[in-house]
């Protein structure tokens, strides 16, 4: 059955949406703005507004240094344990620290040393660039012998299991992949690739930056060794909020943290000059966390736990399906391609449409239609679907905005030169 391309239909879907009330839990300053970029920077939860006041005025302003013992010292672990529920891990397997890039560095070096003298590292070239840069840096600093094999996709969007099977062997130290691709939204099958890595004794690291808070995850059931993820995307933690890292329980005491600081010491406040690493997940901490930013992760995580990942995923599936049906009906005839998997089980929570003038169109819908998406080279217009606040009507209006901009060619007055954040 073809989708009904009318706003009335979109509104009906919103009326029947079991998660619709959650939109009120976010600050919506401009009701006319259609924000489809929560996959890059999530919206501000209302409760974060209240928390920031308490944090700054009371916890910092009034309680001062006493707040470390009263609240701050265990925040990295306490909020980490909430995130553990979103990734199917134990509370003591997750901690918040640093950025995703820095955590990748620490875990890469730890994994490569652990699996010495194995020398092969497997990844793919649709991974997020920072993951690949850091992998190279970590390999170079760990030894001279490593070979990074960055596989190109062997089907439409991803590397097939067969291809991984051809390259993973007894010499493989580490397989490192992003679970959901930042451009195409393709979603790998965690269990089968992890199982393959383990068959040959390699460690498996997953980057959940585009997955956590977007799709249900189960590190324990899938046997995941190591993982990292961003908190400012689907978790709504705020700009640059620190990332999380996960280490399987029985690996924690065996990996070496190359950025060992006083927060990873077994007994930090002895101020002992000899470094003795913690044997638990704290081993992968480094220094003092950015408390304000760290504390502000909690309200967004609480909202997701309250709504439930299964409901969130169900709505995201239905909304991305809807958007793709609208693409088929309205945008495909105008020259847009679908740059995301057509099959929902292979797709994360954002949808990419391709257009040769994508970057100019992204600017035009932003400035002329108040639709915020983002653009990724060479031609991807990305639309993040964040079910706690994205409505069907927004998706409908965004597609109509693309249609109008494309038909009127009003995007032609914009520059093709990429500047600033997109
Ligand atoms: C967003 C994202 C990052 C970001 O890393 P930062 O260190 O927070 O800048 C890294 N990897 C992937 C896969 C991402 O999607």
């Amino acid at each position: 059955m073809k989708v009904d391309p009318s706003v009335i239909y979109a509104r009906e879907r919103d009326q029947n949406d079991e998660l619709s009330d959650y939109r009120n839990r976010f600050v919506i300053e401009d009701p006319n703005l259609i924000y489809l970029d929560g996959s890059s920077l999530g919206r501000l939860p209302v409760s974060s507004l209240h928390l920031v006041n308490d944090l700054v005025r009371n916890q910092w302003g009034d309680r001062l240094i006493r707040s470390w013992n009263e609240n701050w010292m265990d925040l990295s672990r306490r909020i980490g344990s909430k995130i553990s529920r979103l990734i199917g891990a134990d509370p003591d397997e997750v901690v918040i620290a640093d950025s995703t890039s820095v955590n990748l560095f620490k875990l890469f070096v730890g994994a490569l040393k652990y699996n010495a003298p194995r020398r092969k590292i497997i990844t793919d070239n649709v991974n997020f660039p920072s993951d690949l840069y850091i992998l190279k840096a970590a390999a170079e600093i760990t030894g001279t012998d490593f070979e990074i094999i960055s596989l190109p996709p062997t089907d439409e969007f991803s590397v097939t299991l067969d291809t991984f099977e051809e390259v993973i062997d007894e010499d493989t130290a580490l397989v490192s992949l992003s679970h959901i691709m930042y451009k195409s939204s393709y979603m790998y099958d965690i269990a089968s690739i992890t199982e393959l890595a383990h068959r040959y004794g390699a460690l498996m690291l997953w980057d959940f930056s585009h997955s956590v808070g977007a799709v249900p995850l189960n590190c324990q059931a899938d046997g995941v060794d190591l993982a990292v993820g961003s908190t400012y995307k689907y978790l709504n933690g705020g700009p640059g909020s620190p990332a999380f890292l996960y280490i399987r329980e029985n690996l924690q005491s065996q990996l070496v943290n190359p950025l060992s600081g006083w927060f990873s010491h077994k007994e930090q406040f002895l101020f002992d000059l000899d470094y003795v690493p913690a044997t638990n997940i704290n081993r992968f901490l480094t220094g003092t966390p950015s408390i304000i930013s760290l504390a502000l992760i909690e309200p967004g995580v609480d909202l997701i736990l309250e709504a439930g990942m299964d409901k969130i995923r169900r709505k995201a599936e239905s909304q991305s399906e809807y958007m793709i049906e609208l693409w088929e009906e309205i945008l495909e005839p105008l020259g847009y391609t679908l740059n995301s998997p057509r099959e929902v089980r292979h797709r994360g929570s954002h949808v990419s449409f391709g257009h040769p003038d994508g970057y100019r169109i992204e600017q035009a819908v932003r400035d002329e239609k108040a639709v915020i998406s983002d653009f990724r080279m060479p031609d991807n217009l990305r639309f993040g679907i964040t079910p706690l606040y994205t409505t069907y009507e927004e998706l409908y209006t965004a597609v109509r905005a693309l249609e109008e901009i494309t038909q009127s060619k009003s995007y032609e007055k914009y520059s093709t030169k990429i500047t600033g954040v997109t």
Side-chain angles (χ1 to χ4, degrees):
M1 196 192 81
K2 281 206 167 158
V3 65
D4 176 353
S6 75
V7 70
I8 293 161
Y9 174 77
R11 287 177 185 156
E12 258 172 40
R13 297 286 298 263
D14 284 324
Q15 268 154 20
N16 295 322
D17 167 19
E18 60 181 347
L19 293 177
S20 61
D21 286 347
Y22 279 94
R23 188 173 161 89
N24 301 324
R25 310 276 293 274
F26 292 88
V27 175
I28 312 271
E29 290 284 354
D30 175 2
N32 295 318
L33 181 75
I34 295 180
Y35 189 65
L36 298 174
D37 211 5
S39 47
S40 283
L41 176 64
R43 274 188 182 277
L44 168 64
V46 173
S47 47
S48 296
L49 261 191
H50 303 300
L51 177 60
V52 80
N53 199 40
D54 175 57
L55 265 170
V56 174
R57 190 178 284 266
N58 301 327
Q59 297 184 34
W60 176 17
D62 178 33
R63 299 306 296 163
L64 288 161
I65 194 91
R66 293 170 287 187
S67 279
W68 278 106
N69 285 332
E70 287 166 2
N71 191 30
W72 297 341
M73 215 45 217
D74 71 343
L75 266 187
S76 311
R77 291 290 300 274
R78 200 167 60 71
I79 303 175
S81 75
K82 289 191 172 182
I83 291 177
S84 78
R85 292 160 59 190
L86 299 176
I87 66 167
D90 269 349
D92 53 11
E93 291 179 315
V94 179
V95 73
I96 297 178
D98 309 305
S99 64
T100 300
S101 301
V102 171
N103 289 336
L104 282 170
F105 179 81
K106 293 189 285 190
L107 292 178
F108 285 156
V109 173
L112 296 179
K113 286 188 177 230
Y114 172 85
N115 251 344
R118 291 171 177 241
R119 37 174 296 283
K120 276 169 76 174
I121 305 166
I122 313 295
T123 185
D124 68 27
N125 73 5
V126 281
N127 206 341
F128 192 73
S130 195
D131 296 45
L132 298 175
Y133 306 155
I134 299 270
L135 188 54
K136 188 159 177 284
E140 278 171 6
I141 228 163
T142 309
T144 50
D145 243 17
F146 290 104
E147 180 193 5
I148 299 176
I149 300 174
S150 182
L151 298 163
T154 46
D155 70 4
E156 202 179 0
F157 297 108
S158 69
V159 178
T160 60
L161 195 61
D162 288 348
T163 311
F164 282 121
E165 252 189 292
E166 285 164 23
V167 294
I168 297 175
D169 60 19
E170 261 94 28
D171 197 25
T172 305
L174 173 71
V175 181
S176 176
L177 295 168
S178 287
H179 174 222
I180 294 174
M181 317 297 185
Y182 77 107
K183 280 187 189 172
S184 69
S185 193
Y186 180 90
M187 176 163 62
Y188 272 126
D189 180 52
I190 296 176
S192 59
I193 299 173
T194 304
E195 191 277 320
L196 179 63
H198 288 169
R199 207 185 305 155
Y200 293 96
L203 288 178
M204 182 77 225
L205 182 147
W206 288 102
D207 188 330
F208 289 143
S209 289
H210 279 282
S211 323
V212 67
V215 295
L217 297 162
N218 201 335
C219 284
Q220 289 198 336
D222 294 340
V224 175
D225 300 306
L226 307 166
V228 296
S230 174
T231 61
Y232 51 76
K233 296 172 180 169
Y234 291 94
L235 296 186
N236 311 303
S241 56
F244 69 89
L245 66 86
Y246 154 90
I247 306 176
R248 181 159 56 78
E249 206 274 330
N250 56 2
L251 269 178
Q252 288 170 8
S253 62
Q254 302 186 55
L255 299 190
V256 173
N257 174 5
L259 296 177
S260 51
W262 67 316
F263 273 68
S264 59
H265 195 282
K266 198 167 183 198
E267 296 202 62
Q268 175 179 5
F269 288 103
L270 290 184
F271 294 99
D272 194 339
L273 293 187
D274 287 327
Y275 178 72
V276 182
T279 50
N280 60 10
I281 191 90
N282 292 6
R283 192 180 178 97
F284 272 74
L285 295 175
T286 297
T288 310
S290 314
I291 290 295
I292 307 293
S293 225
L294 163 62
L296 287 174
I297 296 170
E298 193 166 15
V301 173
D302 282 342
L303 278 176
I304 288 178
L305 288 170
E306 182 189 322
M309 269 323 302
D310 288 335
K311 283 186 187 165
I312 290 173
R313 174 61 180 167
R314 205 177 315 135
K315 180 173 169 189
E317 286 182 348
S318 135
Q319 288 194 309
S320 62
E321 222 26 53
Y322 172 64
M323 196 158 186
I324 290 172
E325 285 163 5
L326 290 175
W327 159 79
E328 219 160 16
E329 185 77 18
I330 298 165
L331 298 178
E332 193 177 20
L334 295 173
Y336 287 82
T337 54
L338 177 64
N339 288 3
S340 293
R342 185 64 188 84
E343 250 190 286
V344 71
R345 69 191 171 95
H346 291 312
R347 199 167 68 226
S349 210
H350 66 277
V351 175
S352 285
F353 297 141
H355 192 286
D357 280 307
Y359 182 53
R360 295 200 287 177
I361 293 170
E362 185 248 339
Q363 297 169 80
V365 288
R366 181 194 64 204
D367 293 354
E368 294 171 23
K369 302 286 182 186
V371 172
I372 299 205
S373 60
D374 64 24
F375 176 77
R376 291 293 176 268
M377 292 291 278
D379 69 339
N380 298 283
L381 278 149
R382 291 194 311 180
F383 299 90
I385 290 172
T386 39
L388 293 188
Y389 52 82
T390 301
T391 65
Y392 287 87
E393 186 170 343
E394 285 181 305
L395 299 176
Y396 171 82
T397 311
V399 169
R400 287 293 184 198
L402 290 170
E403 177 189 32
E404 285 170 34
I405 293 286
T406 315
Q407 282 174 339
S408 71
K409 293 197 185 294
S410 71
Y411 62 83
E412 286 181 347
K413 62 177 176 284
Y414 291 86
S415 167
T416 55
K417 197 164 163 284
I418 295 197
T419 48
V421 174
T422 143

